[in-house]
Amino acid sequence: MRRVSIFGSTGSIGQNTIDLIKRAPNEYQVVALSGAQNIARLARDAKDLRAEVAITADPTRLGDLRAALAGSGIEACAGAQALDDAASRPTDWVMSAIVGAAGLAPGLKALEQGASLALANKESMVCAGALVKATAQKHSARILPVDSEHSAVFQALIGEDIKAVERIIITASGGAFRDWPMEKLASATPAQAATHPNWDMGQRITIDSASMFNKALEVIETREFFEVDPAIIEVLVHPQSMIHALVGFNDGALMAHVGPPDMRHAIGFALHWPERRKLPVERLDLAALSHLTFRDPDETRWPALRLARAVMAEGGHTGAVFNAAKERALDHFIAGRIGFMQMAEVVEEALTQLSAKSSLTNAEMTLDSVLAIDHLARNTADAIIAKL
């Protein structure tokens, strides 16, 4: 029986992971589940899966969680240290689905135990890719991509020589505003941005899809995961979300991963790896698909993609600055303090202001150095926004 933990269990990735585990309950022993505000869901899942421990990221909700778990025998904990402690428990497989930089430390703790880390938390690779990979190598742990794009690339590369790859194409739906006139974007509201045309995701990641910051993070993550030249990474807007990524080889061939927009495919591939098992996802009827379309992204509409290129060129701790400033800009957009297009302005200014401080090399990267630059970048973003 495999011991598994799910960090970020109450979100869409976590819930899809739980769905798959519940379909084969005799194969898994659930060690830990974590969430934030949805205490009822966290407690329900912990009891259904007979988890050893449930953790809320919000210490103020510990009393609620204890009450919800009363009589179950499941340990209730709260806060960042509790997350790290839970991630340090012996486990075979860990889903890292906490949103944002908060997912970095628990992921590193899981790798230190030698667990296979199913990585849906793209910020870990963006902020500290060198550190994450070095930790995995030191402890003979494996990192398995769960973002649909990176899972698609990973699968297309099985049995292939990375040296024969001449292009990697990741696709983007374009989000809620892909067909909006440019002049309307400045007045777009958080509610409008949080409606995704294809995927069922949380508010923050859906808004990041509309601004293409999510795809910008994925471009950087592609560079870190597969250690390729940033120049060969391409983005195409593909509104149907059926082709998740393509890998082009030096003989001109393109290997495409085609499937419905259902995260259980990428999750299931990581959960069962190296096996490929039957999954409860829709089987595509290609004859019924009227058409598949692609177009180049407009970086005037989506400046986040241009900024991602700059981050990869700079390297070091620049990814941590990019992500932290993006998270704070998103916070302020959701709160109604800045406009939709101003998020990219805030991130670009933060990158400019912190260029010298973020130039530490990968060799100098530690968890403390990443958290320090993350903290500085958040404060810098807040100061920039205060002046807008």
Side-chain angles (χ1 to χ4, degrees):
M1 183 175 289
R2 295 174 70 198
R3 289 171 61 82
V4 303
S5 291
I6 306 170
F7 296 104
S9 69
T10 58
S12 60
I13 297 293
Q15 289 296 292
N16 279 311
T17 305
I18 287 171
D19 174 73
L20 293 178
I21 287 174
K22 283 183 174 180
R23 293 171 187 268
N26 295 328
E27 293 188 25
Y28 305 102
Q29 169 59 52
V30 176
V31 176
L33 298 180
S34 83
Q37 297 299 318
N38 196 334
I39 300 299
R41 177 178 291 175
L42 176 60
R44 178 202 68 200
D45 290 337
K47 288 187 283 190
D48 287 349
L49 296 172
R50 299 177 183 176
E52 295 176 10
V53 59
I55 311 101
T56 171
D58 183 356
T60 68
R61 302 299 305 277
L62 179 57
D64 297 333
L65 181 58
R66 282 176 172 163
L69 292 173
S72 67
I74 298 169
E75 185 180 353
C77 302
Q81 185 59 54
L83 280 171
D84 289 354
D85 291 344
S88 298
R89 297 189 181 205
T91 313
D92 300 308
W93 186 91
V94 172
M95 169 57 75
S96 174
I98 296 172
V99 176
L104 173 59
L108 290 173
K109 290 294 184 183
L111 290 172
E112 289 171 1
Q113 309 313 309
S116 291
L117 185 68
L119 193 60
N121 174 262
K122 57 180 65 65
E123 293 85 357
S124 292
M125 280 296 194
V126 172
C127 297
L131 177 62
V132 171
K133 290 181 289 185
T135 303
Q137 183 176 22
K138 180 179 179 180
H139 297 279
S140 301
R142 179 171 293 277
I143 308 168
L144 297 166
V146 173
D147 270 340
S148 59
E149 296 81 3
H150 304 97
S151 177
V153 174
F154 184 81
Q155 293 179 56
L157 287 173
I158 292 174
E160 301 287 352
D161 184 350
I162 192 68
K163 295 177 182 177
V165 174
E166 64 178 22
R167 61 198 299 213
I168 293 177
I169 304 167
I170 60 175
T171 61
S173 69
F177 305 141
R178 65 189 176 208
D179 298 316
W180 276 38
M182 278 290 297
E183 59 271 17
K184 283 186 63 179
L185 293 179
S187 59
T189 68
Q192 291 169 324
T195 304
H196 198 281
N198 300 346
W199 297 90
D200 180 15
M201 304 182 294
Q203 179 195 42
R204 296 180 70 85
I205 194 171
T206 305
I207 296 174
D208 279 349
S209 176
S211 67
M212 211 70 100
F213 266 110
N214 189 54
K215 200 57 52 179
L217 294 173
E218 290 172 0
V219 168
I220 301 169
E221 188 181 10
T222 300
R223 162 71 184 91
E224 293 296 332
F225 248 124
F226 304 106
E227 298 183 346
V228 295
D229 184 340
I232 76 167
I233 303 170
E234 306 172 31
V235 176
L236 281 178
V237 178
H238 171 46
Q240 294 80 24
S241 295
M242 294 294 181
I243 296 180
H244 306 300
L246 305 96
V247 176
F249 296 91
N250 55 13
D251 61 355
L254 278 173
M255 299 290 188
H257 182 284
V258 186
D262 187 331
M263 284 305 301
R264 289 177 298 178
H265 188 117
I267 295 167
F269 187 83
L271 179 64
H272 302 135
W273 188 90
E275 296 181 54
R276 187 184 288 274
R277 294 193 191 177
K278 186 175 181 179
L279 294 173
V281 299
E282 176 189 355
R283 271 51 176 173
L284 291 181
D285 179 358
L286 294 177
L289 292 176
S290 58
H291 61 279
L292 299 176
T293 59
F294 305 89
R295 62 177 186 259
D296 290 324
D298 178 359
E299 292 188 2
T300 304
R301 176 185 294 272
W302 294 301
L305 296 175
R306 171 178 56 81
L307 296 178
R309 301 284 178 190
V311 168
M312 291 188 292
E314 287 292 326
H317 287 57
T318 311
V321 174
F322 178 79
N323 180 71
K326 186 277 297 182
E327 288 190 22
R328 289 303 291 146
L330 177 58
D331 292 338
H332 286 278
F333 172 64
I334 291 171
R337 301 187 190 101
I338 61 173
F340 181 76
M341 297 301 289
Q342 287 179 300
M343 287 190 287
E345 296 175 21
V346 170
V347 174
E348 185 163 18
E349 180 60 23
L351 287 169
T352 299
Q353 291 189 22
L354 298 179
S355 176
K357 293 183 181 296
S358 61
S359 61
L360 294 169
T361 67
N362 287 343
E364 298 173 290
M365 185 179 290
T366 65
L367 179 58
D368 286 343
S369 72
V370 172
L371 295 179
I373 198 71
D374 175 275
H375 180 71
L376 178 60
R378 290 172 192 274
N379 289 341
T380 300
D382 287 343
I384 293 167
I385 291 165
K387 294 178 181 179
L388 288 178

